[in-house]
Amino acid sequence: MKSNLKNFWRTCRFARLNTAVLCCGLPLIVSASDVPPKKILFVGDSISVGVGASSPQKRYSSVAVKMLNQAAGKTVYQEINTSVSGSTMVDHPWPRANASGYPYRLENIKAIKPDIVVIQHGVNDNGGCNSLAEYVWAYRNFVRQVKTILPECRIVCMTPGPLKRDDEAYDEWINQANAAIQEIAALENTIVAQSHMALHNRMELFPDGVHPNDAGHQIMAEALVKAIQENKVQSRSNFDFTAQRAGAYRLCGYMFIVSEAAAANGNYTVFNNVSTAGWSYSADGPVRIFTTPLTYMQEPACTLDNGKKAVCQYRAYFKDAEWQLPGTDGKMVKATISAAEKSK
């Protein structure tokens, strides 16, 4: 009897101690196995479903989650794939009701409450002749509504993969869509996975011209893992931009003009960390950048770390500049801009 009473009071003292620990806000030791894995929800089309891969385990989404867990040495992420073959970002009933990426997939977001949402859409919008305006509107609205539902959720925007068609219009649509996605990422502060750039000039990995094989899915997975691990959130004041084709691109108030020489052989022109203080860039030929009005209150100077010269035309009335940048032979060059005092 005395022994039982002794054990009873010992238990009471232990309970009081635990209560005191909780009230004082001291951390309790929780086993790593008790921490649930973070959920990565994939919104996409047949490529995310895994068409083209030899098995579901070889699709890029499954490979990426496996790579992330292997890098962590434990299960920290769980794949939840809600992708639908044939689906688009633009809202229409093809190939079946509630198949589009927007707005129907928002119901999955509300129910699952993922930690990361990966968006892979565009090939069917392109092939189905949806306009770029409709696609961009639907894409940005989807991103905005995900942010409204889950403000803390990380969003990864994957650039659409290549599409093999005889008509040049398909390639140009993808090119402009990729630029638009990168601007959406900057305006909405999301992450970009440059899967298209990772797969450029690799159409041999697309046997049917649309769906990547195992090697293509592996490359997509690597691009996605890199984006998630780097966790580089884009912004209007500091963003990255890549372009494959020659032409003029407008992003976040800047205009980038990629020359035919820079885009020869399908090579990419890459700009990183674009801001009023400068950027890093890689181009196989000359490129130009126009800044927005009221960017520089005095004539700025640009220094390239490879010793070459950047030519600036400064318009004092508009307080902006046009930069003529030489090619870099494929190497990344840092451009530093002085006198970058921005108007208030």
Side-chain angles (χ1 to χ4, degrees):
M1 183 66 178
K2 290 182 178 179
S3 177
N4 289 339
L5 286 172
K6 188 176 182 180
N7 289 335
F8 171 76
W9 290 114
R10 184 184 295 117
T11 301
C12 289
R13 286 195 301 272
F14 179 74
R16 286 197 301 271
L17 176 60
N18 278 341
T19 302
V21 169
L22 289 172
C23 291
C24 293
L26 297 177
L28 293 178
I29 299 175
V30 180
S31 171
S33 60
D34 295 332
V35 179
K38 295 181 178 180
K39 293 175 285 189
I40 305 180
L41 187 144
F42 291 84
V43 177
D45 51 37
S46 56
I47 294 175
S48 288
V49 170
V51 176
S54 60
S55 69
Q57 292 73 30
K58 294 289 186 179
R59 65 186 179 185
Y60 83 87
S61 59
S62 299
V63 173
V65 173
K66 182 179 179 180
M67 290 173 65
L68 288 167
N69 288 333
Q70 286 178 337
K74 57 184 178 181
T75 301
V76 292
Y77 292 106
Q78 172 190 1
E79 174 193 4
I80 302 176
N81 199 318
T82 63
S83 304
V84 177
S85 289
S87 62
T88 61
M89 282 305 299
V90 174
D91 181 21
H92 58 61
W94 184 86
R96 62 185 70 86
N98 299 347
S100 299
Y102 172 82
Y104 307 115
R105 297 284 74 81
L106 290 171
E107 297 304 317
N108 299 125
I109 306 295
K110 294 176 183 177
I112 297 168
K113 294 181 174 59
D115 300 279
I116 300 174
V117 171
V118 177
I119 306 172
Q120 177 273 313
H121 266 298
V123 171
N124 291 323
D125 291 274
N126 186 8
C129 293
N130 290 330
S131 72
L132 190 64
E134 272 195 297
Y135 173 77
V136 173
W137 183 92
Y139 202 113
R140 188 172 185 185
N141 271 276
F142 184 83
V143 170
R144 283 180 162 180
Q145 293 195 44
V146 171
K147 290 171 62 179
T148 299
I149 297 168
L150 296 172
E152 301 302 318
C153 177
R154 284 195 288 168
I155 301 174
V156 183
C157 302
M158 299 189 73
T159 51
L163 183 66
K164 188 176 182 180
R165 290 287 188 273
D166 294 333
D167 196 318
E168 187 80 1
Y170 289 99
D171 286 339
E172 183 55 30
W173 192 98
I174 286 287
N175 182 59
Q176 293 296 334
N178 284 338
I181 287 172
Q182 292 175 89
E183 183 174 43
I184 290 172
L187 297 178
E188 299 297 337
N189 305 120
T190 74
I191 302 167
V192 176
Q194 294 284 1
S195 49
H196 189 280
M197 184 169 66
L199 288 164
H200 82 287
N201 292 337
R202 297 300 305 273
M203 283 310 299
E204 76 276 7
L205 303 182
F206 295 78
D208 64 358
V210 179
H211 304 98
N213 57 19
D214 286 352
H217 275 276
Q218 177 68 34
I219 292 174
M220 289 183 67
E222 291 170 357
L224 177 58
V225 168
K226 179 182 178 183
I228 291 175
Q229 289 179 335
E230 289 182 349
N231 194 30
K232 187 176 183 181
V233 177
Q234 304 292 296
S235 71
R236 178 189 286 270
S237 59
N238 193 310
F239 63 92
D240 300 335
F241 171 58
T242 67
Q244 182 182 13
R245 297 169 69 88
Y249 304 86
R250 296 173 184 265
L251 281 86
C252 302
Y254 290 78
M255 181 162 63
F256 301 84
I257 299 182
V258 179
S259 67
E260 292 287 349
N265 303 315
N267 291 328
Y268 263 84
T269 298
V270 179
F271 293 91
N272 289 335
N273 302 314
V274 178
S275 73
T276 57
W279 50 78
S280 296
Y281 79 105
S282 171
D284 286 352
V287 293
R288 287 186 291 164
I289 297 182
F290 292 80
T291 62
T292 60
L294 302 179
T295 300
Y296 303 109
M297 296 302 101
Q298 55 185 308
E299 184 171 0
C302 181
T303 303
L304 304 181
D305 67 359
N306 64 353
K308 292 187 178 181
K309 185 178 180 180
V311 179
C312 173
Q313 289 184 331
Y314 177 66
R315 298 191 302 174
Y317 179 80
F318 292 103
K319 303 293 189 296
D320 63 3
E322 172 194 348
W323 302 101
Q324 299 182 38
L325 304 172
T328 68
D329 298 322
K331 298 178 182 178
M332 190 63 71
V333 172
K334 185 175 181 179
T336 302
I337 299 176
S338 60
E341 181 184 352
K342 191 174 178 61
S343 66
K344 297 181 180 179

